[in-house]
């Protein structure tokens, strides 16, 4: 990732006006920039921006999986049927993202993603997941963009 793109992402990360950030996210056509922004996203700012990211055509599978685990995807995979009325926005977002990942709605790229799970967590999940859900446990890509800005 070149320094100019990193500078643009940093400016977006520290921008207070969410509408301005949404416009900038909509203008991004680079999956690496989307990944870097999402990787550094402050989740205290809510789900609106990440929701826009996952519906962009250039959002890749690595970005989708990274976002999934950033919003406690492990907990969701452990108990997909759990209803949580106190976290309704989270429940809707995580379910929608989960479904889109299973439907292969994201492009594949070389961006690296390693599930943030230890061996015990992977073992437990493998026992309860269907084969098509193993995508949540796979390492993909080789271009490591996990850079804190």
């Amino acid at each position: 990732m070149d320094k100019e793109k990193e500078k643009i992402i940093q400016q977006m990360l520290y921008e207070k006006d969410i509408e301005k950030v949404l416009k900038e996210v909509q203008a991004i056509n680079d999956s690496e920039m989307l990944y870097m922004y999402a990787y550094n996203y402050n989740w205290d700012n809510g789900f609106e921006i990440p929701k826009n990211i996952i519906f962009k055509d250039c959002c890749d599978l690595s970005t989708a999986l990274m976002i999934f685990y950033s919003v406690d995807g492990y907990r969701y995979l452990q108990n997909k049927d759990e209803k949580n009325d106190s976290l309704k926005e989270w429940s809707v977002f995580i379910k929608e993202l989960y479904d889109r990942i299973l439907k292969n709605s994201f492009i594949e790229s070389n961006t690296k993603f390693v599930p943030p799970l230890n061996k015990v967590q992977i073992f437990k999940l493998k026992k309860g997941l269907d084969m098509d859900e193993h995508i949540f446990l796979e390492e993909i890509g080789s271009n490591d963009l996990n850079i804190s800005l």
Side-chain angles (χ1 to χ4, degrees):
M1 171 84 44
D2 66 47
K3 294 295 178 191
E4 186 60 34
K5 289 179 180 180
E6 285 183 19
K7 186 176 178 182
I8 292 168
I9 294 167
Q10 279 183 323
Q11 290 171 342
M12 290 171 60
L13 289 167
Y14 295 106
E15 175 61 54
K16 301 274 187 237
D17 183 354
I18 289 183
E19 292 304 316
K20 189 173 181 181
V21 175
L22 284 170
K23 285 180 186 175
E24 291 178 26
V25 166
Q26 288 305 316
I28 293 174
N29 291 315
D30 181 331
S31 64
E32 290 182 357
M33 285 182 72
L34 278 182
Y35 184 96
M36 290 268 302
Y37 180 79
Y39 180 79
N40 288 279
Y41 183 70
N42 179 356
W43 287 94
D44 291 340
N45 292 336
F47 291 96
E48 187 173 3
I49 294 170
K51 187 167 187 171
N52 276 267
I53 290 172
I54 66 170
F55 280 98
K56 289 200 51 76
D57 289 339
C58 66
C59 182
D60 63 18
L61 180 59
S62 297
T63 303
L65 287 166
M66 184 267 300
I67 290 173
F68 180 81
Y69 280 104
S70 293
V71 292
D72 207 6
Y74 176 69
R75 183 173 122 202
Y76 182 79
L77 291 174
Q78 286 179 305
N79 191 357
K80 294 180 288 287
D81 299 326
E82 177 185 357
K83 300 291 183 217
N84 194 332
D85 292 332
S86 64
L87 298 172
K88 187 154 182 71
E89 189 176 18
W90 172 83
S91 297
V92 170
F93 180 81
I94 196 90
K95 172 76 169 108
E96 189 169 45
L97 181 52
Y98 168 85
D99 288 343
R100 287 180 49 81
I101 290 169
L102 286 183
K103 290 177 186 171
N104 296 315
S105 299
F106 299 99
I107 60 173
E108 292 195 23
S109 73
N110 194 34
T111 301
K112 184 176 184 173
F113 175 76
V114 177
L117 304 170
N118 63 42
K119 290 179 181 181
V120 173
Q121 290 171 317
I122 291 171
F123 178 77
K124 286 180 180 179
L125 285 176
K126 277 186 178 179
K127 290 184 356 184
L129 296 179
D130 295 332
M131 284 306 295
D132 60 334
E133 292 174 304
H134 281 218
I135 192 166
F136 293 97
L137 306 176
E138 297 172 2
E139 293 184 21
I140 54 176
S142 62
N143 185 15
D144 190 356
L145 296 175
N146 290 354
I147 302 168
S148 296
L149 299 176

